[in-house]
Amino acid sequence: MDDVLSFIESKKEENLTGLMEFLKFESISSEPEKKEEVKRTAEYLKDHILNIGFETVKVVETAGHPIVYAEWTGAGKNAKTVLIYGHYDVQPVDPIELWDTPPFEPTVRNGKIFARGTADDKGQVFAQLKALEAHLKTNGKLPVNVKLVIEGEEEAGSNNLDPFVRNNKEMLACDTVVISDTEWFADDVPSICYALRGISFIEVKLTGPNRDLHSGTFGGLVANPIQVLAKMIDELIDENGRITIPGFYDDVLDVTDFERENFKKLPFDLEKYKKDLSVKALTGEKGYTPLERTWIRPSLDINGIKGGYTGEGAKTILPSEASAKISMRLVPNQKPEDITNKIIKYLKQIAPDTVKIEINPLHGGEPVLTPIDSPGIKAAQKALKAAFGKEPVFMREGGSIPIVALFSEVLNVAPVLMGFGLPGDNIHSPNENFDLNNFYGGIKAAAHFFDEFAKV
């Protein structure tokens, strides 16, 4: 490993330059006009992976955006196999006016690199690639066999990865799946995530009159879809922060006392948390700590509302339509399809006869709970400590990576969530960034992981 680590250290500037090139691609998977740019990003990745020494690399077309698949099997049939998953697509950049520098012109300042996709997930993917390169260029081989699955539509729901994984079970066979798409609990606190919330995501649309109406002539007589929608939304959560959908909590899995005690040991600073977000107080389900509310309890959020006139000046209308997008984060044992069916039934139940209601399920993802004593987790512990000099902590995360549950189910392996992001990375927000210490350290940690996993 000494030669591998020396190689990584000697390539710091070159690796940063390479990451900046990768970040310039405007690979926004949810915007149709970026389709060709997403494809160009996949082709760039293919060429880059070939250049670092992989034997087989291909761009796999799907009904949506391409998947980049690669494999190196030179370690032999008796060696362990690691499947590395990541995504090269990114979130939209709006609101663009809140970016300090253009989102696709990477900028380094204050020890961080700023651009869309830095931490989510291009920077973390690139760290894995540079670790592989270090082994291949130094030793001419890897300690384990490696397969890469880097998709182009994670931020749009991963709709085409499910059939790809299910249809290629033998090709993707491995001993563990490593995913670097999570963040640490806090700065300078190396962390291993062992649980993720799932997601159920829908859009509800209400239609009142067959056209926009004059609010003076019709106001007070014809139902206003925006006001009806606002009232329905208000009924989804009660005064104690509990979701009111019948049967919503039926399958929620309780956590162990050991986990709760572990949560208490983590360096959570409530006042700093509120100050960072510029909020005076937090909300949520009563009877649970802030960490428990985002890690072990489900949640419901309105992601956006549309309707009526929002331009400059006045236009006093009673709008014909109103819609909202609603996401629910799910915890282990909850099933996205079941929760989606329950909210659809409930919304139809509470919608008054004064409006017509349409509900469109958008996508869902399973929650994840992985054993912390698996060989992959043990290798990750050693790798993070070797790279960052500290024993990593265990944590859950409130976000969702639907593909983790899919890999676990189809390939029958325990995944390893070994991410290098930080809470202040502003993922999905303006001024997304990635700490350079974590980028460089992440390369070393990934390199150590391949070596450690070969031994366990």
Side-chain angles (χ1 to χ4, degrees), residues 132-411:
L132 293 167
E133 180 181 45
H135 275 286
L136 289 169
K137 293 295 173 67
T138 301
N139 301 319
K141 61 181 181 178
L142 296 167
V144 291
N145 297 314
V146 173
K147 300 174 182 180
L148 299 172
V149 173
I150 308 174
E151 68 158 316
E153 52 186 21
E154 193 272 348
E155 300 292 9
S158 295
N159 293 328
N160 293 290
L161 195 59
D162 188 300
F164 173 80
V165 173
R166 295 186 186 279
N167 293 336
N168 294 283
K169 181 177 178 179
E170 291 185 9
M171 182 179 78
L172 300 176
C174 59
D175 296 292
T176 192
V177 178
V178 175
I179 299 166
S180 295
D181 193 18
T182 52
E183 63 184 34
W184 290 2
F185 182 78
D187 293 8
D188 205 30
V189 182
S191 309
I192 297 173
C193 179
Y194 66 94
L196 296 161
R197 292 196 291 187
I199 188 170
S200 168
F201 189 27
I202 68 163
E203 183 173 22
V204 55
K205 177 183 176 183
L206 300 185
T207 304
N210 58 10
R211 62 189 184 277
D212 290 350
L213 302 176
H214 188 292
S215 65
T217 304
F218 296 93
L221 177 63
V222 178
N224 185 317
I226 295 178
Q227 291 166 209
V228 174
L229 181 59
K231 185 174 186 299
M232 291 172 61
I233 288 171
D234 186 56
E235 292 182 36
L236 292 175
I237 299 177
D238 68 17
E239 65 276 8
N240 293 315
R242 282 181 65 86
I243 296 162
T244 58
I245 300 167
F248 187 87
Y249 293 95
D250 285 355
D251 300 315
V252 169
L253 181 69
D254 275 338
V255 297
T256 63
D257 291 338
F258 170 80
E259 285 186 275
R260 279 206 167 92
E261 289 303 312
N262 182 60
F263 295 165
K264 292 176 183 178
K265 297 175 184 177
L266 298 173
F268 179 73
D269 187 327
L270 178 59
E271 294 307 313
K272 182 180 178 182
Y273 187 87
K274 291 189 293 185
K275 183 178 180 181
D276 178 62
L277 298 175
S278 298
V279 297
K280 292 183 178 180
L282 301 180
T283 187
E285 188 178 356
K286 290 185 178 178
Y288 296 90
T289 67
L291 288 182
E292 290 173 347
R293 289 172 187 171
T294 56
W295 287 0
I296 71 169
R297 301 299 290 172
S299 63
L300 183 150
D301 283 284
I302 310 305
N303 307 124
I305 298 179
K306 183 171 67 174
Y309 179 72
T310 58
E312 293 293 328
K315 185 182 182 184
T316 54
I317 62 165
L318 189 159
S320 171
E321 298 177 348
S323 64
K325 292 187 177 181
I326 304 172
S327 66
M328 293 155 289
R329 299 290 173 165
L330 315 179
V331 296
N333 280 16
Q334 287 186 300
K335 299 296 182 183
E337 184 177 357
D338 176 60
I339 295 300
T340 297
N341 290 336
K342 285 175 176 174
I343 190 174
I344 289 174
K345 181 179 179 180
Y346 186 55
L347 287 170
K348 289 182 176 179
Q349 177 185 322
I350 64 176
D353 293 337
T354 54
V355 295
K356 296 187 289 290
I357 182 170
E358 300 173 52
I359 303 173
N360 180 29
L362 298 177
H363 68 82
E366 297 276 350
V368 171
L369 182 63
T370 190
I372 62 175
D373 59 352
S374 71
I377 295 290
K378 291 178 180 178
Q381 283 181 275
K382 294 178 180 178
L384 285 168
K385 184 176 181 180
F388 293 98
K390 292 185 175 182
E391 195 71 42
V393 302
F394 289 103
M395 60 175 284
R396 290 189 175 211
E397 191 170 301
S400 307
I401 309 177
I403 191 60
V404 180
L406 177 67
F407 279 129
S408 181
E409 173 202 342
V410 176
L411 303 181

